[in-house]
């Protein structure tokens, strides 16, 4: 049976930015709801490598997690302040990645999430081939670093960042054949990327077979799974423009999980986690219990 977790960033960013839920409260509540773990958003105010620079501080957090009866299902590394596509020198990105990899090792975390950092519009300023080379060469350098710390890297392909077409996903995976590199498949992002063509640069690439076709295209390279609904809309940024996928709770969107989840359940992951992502949802704290019930039902049927 799959173990269940939820991303802690749901309670610290977006609608919660001005009044974040502290990490202890999050973990205590998640345990009460029957979660097996939490996926750590490694940025303030939740635990992160800068606020816990000492090994002793990290050991203390590991002890608290044991007291709460929870494990970490992964780390969403805070790499958004770095440059990746818009510079020829990715040394600072790699240094920040390495810092987060050590943080993962110290906490016993096995998976570290990355994305392309810059939005699709960066391709107005940097040509496709140069951007592609910068992303793939950087992540190829990160793979052995991750391996040295016992980690796999999971890349989230989503509307908010460059290279968000299904064919882009295949190209990047083909360019980085390392065994510890793969795709984080999020069901709401899958809907926006494969069905809606949201924020695709240039011509939209919409798959006739929808998410099932997308899953088949990247099958064998999926190494992390996020489950959440989609309303075929994007979350809006402060200017009212599309940013990334909306993450409505289970039942508040259009996805047929009895179609999608069996296909994802066939993927051989390097772990046994299924994770909820309520990123940017305005009532994430209130929706958590509802989502846990829905996830438990999916685990019972397909996990």
């Amino acid at each position: 049976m799959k173990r269940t977790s939820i991303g802690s960033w749901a309670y610290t960013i977006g609608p919660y930015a001005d009044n974040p839920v502290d990490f202890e409260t999050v973990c205590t509540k998640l345990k009460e709801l029957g979660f097996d773990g939490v996926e750590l958003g490694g940025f303030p105010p939740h635990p992160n490598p800068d606020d816990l620079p000492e090994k002793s501080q990290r050991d203390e957090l590991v002890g608290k997690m044991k007291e709460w009866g929870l494990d970490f299902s992964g780390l969403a590394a805070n790499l958004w302040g770095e440059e990746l596509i818009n510079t020829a020198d990715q040394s600072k990105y790699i240094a920040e990645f390495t810092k987060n990899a050590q943080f993962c090792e110290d906490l016993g975390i096995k998976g570290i999430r990355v994305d392309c950092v810059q939005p699709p519009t960066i391709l107005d300023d940097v040509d496709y081939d140069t951007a592609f080379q910068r992303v793939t060469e950087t992540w190829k350098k990160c793979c052995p670093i991750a391996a040295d710390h016992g980690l796999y890297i999971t890349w989230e392909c989503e509307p908010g960042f460059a290279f968000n077409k299904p064919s882009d996903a295949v190209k990047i995976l083909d360019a980085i054949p390392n065994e510890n590199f793969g795709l984080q498949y999020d069901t709401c992002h899958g809907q926006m990327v494969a069905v809606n063509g949201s924020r695709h640069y240039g011509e939209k690439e919409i798959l006739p077979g929808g998410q099932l076709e997308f899953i088949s295209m990247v099958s064998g390279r999926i190494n992390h799974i996020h489950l959440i609904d989609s309303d075929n809309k994007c979350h809006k940024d402060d200017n009212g423009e599309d940013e990334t996928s909306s993450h409505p709770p289970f039942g508040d969107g259009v996805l047929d999980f009895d179609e999608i989840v069996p296909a994802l359940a066939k993927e051989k992951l390097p772990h046994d986690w299924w994770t909820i992502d309520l990123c940017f949802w305005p009532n994430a704290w209130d929706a958590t219990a509802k989502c846990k019930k829905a996830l438990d039902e999916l685990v019972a049927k397909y996990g």
Side-chain angles (χ1 to χ4, degrees):
M1 299 292 286
K2 299 296 183 182
R3 289 189 290 169
T4 60
S5 69
I6 189 167
S8 77
W9 52 86
Y11 317 111
T12 64
I13 65 174
Y16 292 88
D18 294 331
N19 189 28
V21 183
D22 68 271
F23 192 64
E24 181 170 357
T25 299
V26 168
C27 289
T28 301
K29 179 67 172 179
L30 296 186
K31 185 59 180 178
E32 291 175 357
L33 291 173
F35 281 91
D36 300 298
V38 61
E39 198 142 299
L40 179 59
F43 39 87
H46 286 182
N48 62 84
D50 293 323
D51 289 344
L52 301 178
E54 303 298 329
K55 181 65 161 58
S56 60
Q57 295 172 302
R58 299 174 183 187
D59 290 343
E60 182 179 353
L61 175 58
V62 170
K64 287 181 179 178
M65 290 291 287
K66 290 180 179 178
E67 290 178 11
W68 295 326
L70 298 172
D71 291 317
F72 289 115
S73 62
L75 175 76
N78 185 7
L79 297 169
W80 299 288
E82 309 310 315
E83 295 180 327
L84 179 57
I85 292 174
N86 58 337
T87 179
D89 179 11
Q90 286 82 23
S91 58
K92 190 170 182 296
Y93 178 100
I94 293 171
E96 194 69 16
F97 177 89
T98 303
K99 181 175 72 177
N100 278 272
Q102 182 62 60
F103 184 63
C104 285
E105 182 177 5
D106 290 341
L107 296 184
I109 297 172
K110 298 301 182 183
I112 183 169
R113 175 202 175 276
V114 299
D115 57 47
C116 290
V117 182
Q118 272 86 33
T121 51
I122 193 68
L123 297 176
D124 288 331
D125 303 317
V126 181
D127 69 87
Y128 184 99
D129 291 342
T130 299
F132 184 88
Q133 186 269 340
R134 288 174 175 174
V135 168
T136 55
E137 290 302 312
T138 301
W139 286 346
K140 280 194 280 189
K141 292 175 182 176
C142 289
C143 285
I145 296 170
D148 287 343
H149 291 85
L151 300 173
Y152 66 90
I153 300 174
T154 187
W155 162 51
E156 190 163 26
C157 176
E158 58 166 289
F161 301 104
F163 302 114
N164 56 22
K165 296 181 180 182
S167 62
D168 290 331
V170 173
K171 290 175 185 176
I172 285 181
L173 292 170
D174 285 347
I176 310 174
N178 303 62
E179 290 184 1
N180 69 330
F181 183 88
L183 184 74
Q184 176 172 297
Y185 196 96
D186 180 301
T187 50
C188 72
H189 290 322
Q191 182 74 3
M192 300 308 290
V193 165
V195 177
N196 292 284
S198 180
R199 301 198 70 190
H200 284 179
Y201 186 80
E203 185 177 351
K204 286 183 180 293
E205 182 184 305
I206 294 173
L207 301 180
Q211 289 208 54
L212 292 184
E213 183 175 349
F214 188 25
I215 292 168
S216 70
M217 289 170 65
V218 294
S219 181
R221 296 301 306 276
I222 296 171
N223 63 0
H224 205 84
I225 290 173
H226 280 183
L227 299 174
I228 199 63
D229 218 328
S230 170
D231 54 9
N232 286 326
K233 297 177 183 177
C234 276
H235 163 75
K236 305 292 185 180
D237 63 19
D238 292 338
N239 297 318
E241 300 294 330
D242 284 352
E243 186 172 10
T244 189
S245 307
S246 174
H247 291 67
F250 294 93
D252 289 7
V254 301
L255 298 189
D256 182 353
F257 288 97
D258 289 318
E259 178 183 70
I260 297 169
V261 174
L264 290 173
K266 294 177 183 178
E267 296 299 313
K268 297 186 183 302
L269 307 183
H271 55 84
D272 58 354
W273 292 103
W274 280 357
T275 300
I276 296 167
D277 188 351
L278 280 169
C279 184
F280 290 122
W281 192 251
N283 298 306
W285 194 236
D286 297 330
T288 300
K290 174 185 176 180
C291 288
K292 178 61 164 63
K293 183 177 183 295
L295 182 58
D296 285 346
E297 292 172 357
L298 291 173
V299 169
K301 290 166 89 171
Y302 307 115

